[in-house]
Amino acid sequence: MALWGRPAVRSLRRWGPGGGRRPIAFSAGVSGILGNGGSSKKEKLSLQDIAELIRSRACQRVVVMVGAGISTPSGIPDFRSPGSGRYSNLQQYDIPYPEAIFELSFFLYNPKPFLSLAKKLYPGNHRPNVTHYFLRLLHDKGQLLRLYTQNIDGLERASGIPASKLVEAHGSFASATCTVCRRTAPGEDFWADVLGDRVPCCPVCSGIMKPDIVFFGESLPERFLLHVVDFPTADLLLILGTSLQVEPFASLSEAVRSSVPRLLMNRDMVGPLAWRPRSRDVVQLGDLVHSVERLVELLGWTEEMKDLVRRETGKVTGCDK
């Protein structure tokens, strides 16, 4: 499904002369990183440079793309890793092939396999980790323009990032819709049935209630169209824990202007950053939590991060008593 095109992106660019943006005075170091240091030579950026752009507030419209890799430290397997991914461990469910568990036609025929899987994803079973809280801190500092997530686990919401800052590209369990009459209901009603091992049914027509996550062949949520405005106006793109294999999400990594730095923190080199890199790309491969902790350290946010995690952990502990 072609939800976006370059002509549409170009037509919505808001970075003309003046642009209504308040001028910011940068240090010589930041000016050099931004390409305003008087030299025509484009130097390779580093993680330290990205940290300086954020710390100095030279970048105040940060767009973030995340995938299943940010949630694996919270105990949620991704889908595609050989051996450990969910697609490799679906033998326990009565399904003809792994992808069937996310096919609408199979769900309508037999919703129980999906509901069994959904029960394992119940928000109360898992907690946000350091990556989620780093993004929350970025929001608290007023620098997060939008967070685009492929995840359906709800941990971005659980970390305290407001829904207005989220684009849940593959939907969420926050609400559910009847597959027959299209009546909507809050996610709490859906979970009450799932946790009680019941198939959620519509109280009006008795149709099956399906959570508002995107199954194969379904359209992406309308909020996904925010990318037409967000990416052309972004001044920094962070890409964390994603294989960049699923379209149209993956192609968004190329929707920022060519002058905008892109930071990839991931286990492997992926997507357009691997086969069509740009001069201002920064790549940090390896363990994602370690990479994020290193960035937080370079930003000088370590103590703030610890305080945030303590506060949020305290809230969860208080609710569990």
Side-chain angles (χ1 to χ4, degrees), residues 28 66 76 89 164 185 192 205 227 245-247 261:
V66 302
I76 301 176
N89 294 279
S164 63
C205 73
H227 73 78
Q245 291 183 5
V246 180
E247 295 290 357

Side-chain angles (χ1 to χ4, degrees), residues 177-185 200-209:
T177 301
C178 175
T179 55
V180 177
C181 72
R182 310 307 297 170
R183 178 185 182 271
T184 60
C201 292
C202 175
V204 175
C205 73
S206 299
I208 299 174
M209 297 294 291

Side-chain angles (χ1 to χ4, degrees), residues 258-277:
S258 60
S259 61
V260 170
R262 302 184 300 182
L263 169 62
L264 172 68
M265 286 185 167
N266 209 42
R267 185 181 57 192
D268 305 303
M269 195 69 169
V270 293
L273 284 88
W275 45 264
R276 191 157 58 221

Side-chain angles (χ1 to χ4, degrees), residues 295-314:
L295 178 56
V296 169
E297 180 183 2
L298 291 172
L299 286 164
W301 293 359
T302 300
E303 290 306 314
E304 290 179 85
M305 174 70 80
K306 290 179 180 178
D307 289 343
L308 175 60
V309 172
R310 275 195 294 266
R311 292 199 308 271
E312 294 300 319
T313 302

Side-chain angles (χ1 to χ4, degrees), residues 89-148:
N89 294 279
L90 293 177
Q91 299 91 341
Q92 59 188 298
Y93 303 108
D94 183 19
I95 53 178
Y97 47 89
E99 290 80 4
I101 205 163
F102 286 111
E103 289 183 354
L104 183 59
S105 58
F106 186 80
F107 176 80
L108 295 175
Y109 167 72
N110 180 12
K112 290 184 179 180
F114 171 79
L115 297 177
S116 296
L117 175 63
K119 192 172 182 179
K120 294 184 177 181
L121 292 174
Y122 178 64
N125 293 339
H126 304 279
R127 307 296 186 213
N129 61 63
V130 66
T131 301
H132 298 97
Y133 286 124
F134 161 66
L135 299 175
R136 159 70 185 279
L137 202 53
L138 195 63
H139 161 67
D140 288 349
K141 290 178 177 293
Q143 292 172 266
L144 177 66
L145 174 59
R146 206 88 59 195
L147 168 56
Y148 286 72

Side-chain angles (χ1 to χ4, degrees), residues 31-245:
S31 296
I33 298 170
L34 291 171
N36 299 320
S39 172
S40 60
K41 181 180 178 181
K42 292 185 177 180
E43 296 183 3
K44 185 69 175 175
L45 300 184
S46 66
L47 188 63
Q48 175 71 65
D49 293 327
I50 298 298
E52 179 63 16
L53 289 172
I54 298 173
R55 189 194 61 76
S56 66
R57 304 187 67 84
C59 291
Q60 300 189 61
R61 297 177 64 83
V62 182
V63 170
V64 183
M65 299 172 64
V66 302
I70 76 165
S71 293
T72 53
S74 294
I76 301 176
D78 63 17
F79 284 92
R80 291 176 173 78
S81 292
S84 61
R86 287 201 184 275
Y87 283 148
S88 298
N89 294 279
L90 293 177
Q91 299 91 341
Q92 59 188 298
Y93 303 108
D94 183 19
I95 53 178
Y97 47 89
E99 290 80 4
I101 205 163
F102 286 111
E103 289 183 354
L104 183 59
S105 58
F106 186 80
F107 176 80
L108 295 175
Y109 167 72
N110 180 12
K112 290 184 179 180
F114 171 79
L115 297 177
S116 296
L117 175 63
K119 192 172 182 179
K120 294 184 177 181
L121 292 174
Y122 178 64
N125 293 339
H126 304 279
R127 307 296 186 213
N129 61 63
V130 66
T131 301
H132 298 97
Y133 286 124
F134 161 66
L135 299 175
R136 159 70 185 279
L137 202 53
L138 195 63
H139 161 67
D140 288 349
K141 290 178 177 293
Q143 292 172 266
L144 177 66
L145 174 59
R146 206 88 59 195
L147 168 56
Y148 286 72
T149 177
Q150 295 172 282
N151 300 333
I152 58 174
D153 52 47
L155 292 183
E156 296 88 3
R157 291 178 182 240
S159 71
I161 299 173
S164 63
K165 290 292 182 179
L166 292 175
V167 172
E168 294 160 317
H170 296 163
S172 78
F173 286 99
S175 59
T177 301
C178 175
T179 55
V180 177
C181 72
R182 310 307 297 170
R183 178 185 182 271
T184 60
E188 291 81 2
D189 295 349
F190 170 82
W191 284 119
D193 285 327
V194 171
L195 295 177
D197 294 321
R198 301 182 297 271
V199 174
C201 292
C202 175
V204 175
C205 73
S206 299
I208 299 174
M209 297 294 291
K210 171 188 164 296
D212 291 331
I213 65 169
V214 180
F215 278 31
F216 291 125
E218 291 190 299
S219 299
L220 299 189
E222 288 185 4
R223 278 184 63 80
F224 187 74
L225 290 173
L226 283 172
H227 73 78
V228 177
V229 174
D230 287 346
F231 280 76
T233 61
D235 50 23
L236 176 63
L237 176 62
L238 307 183
I239 305 170
L240 312 176
T242 172
S243 63
L244 290 181
Q245 291 183 5

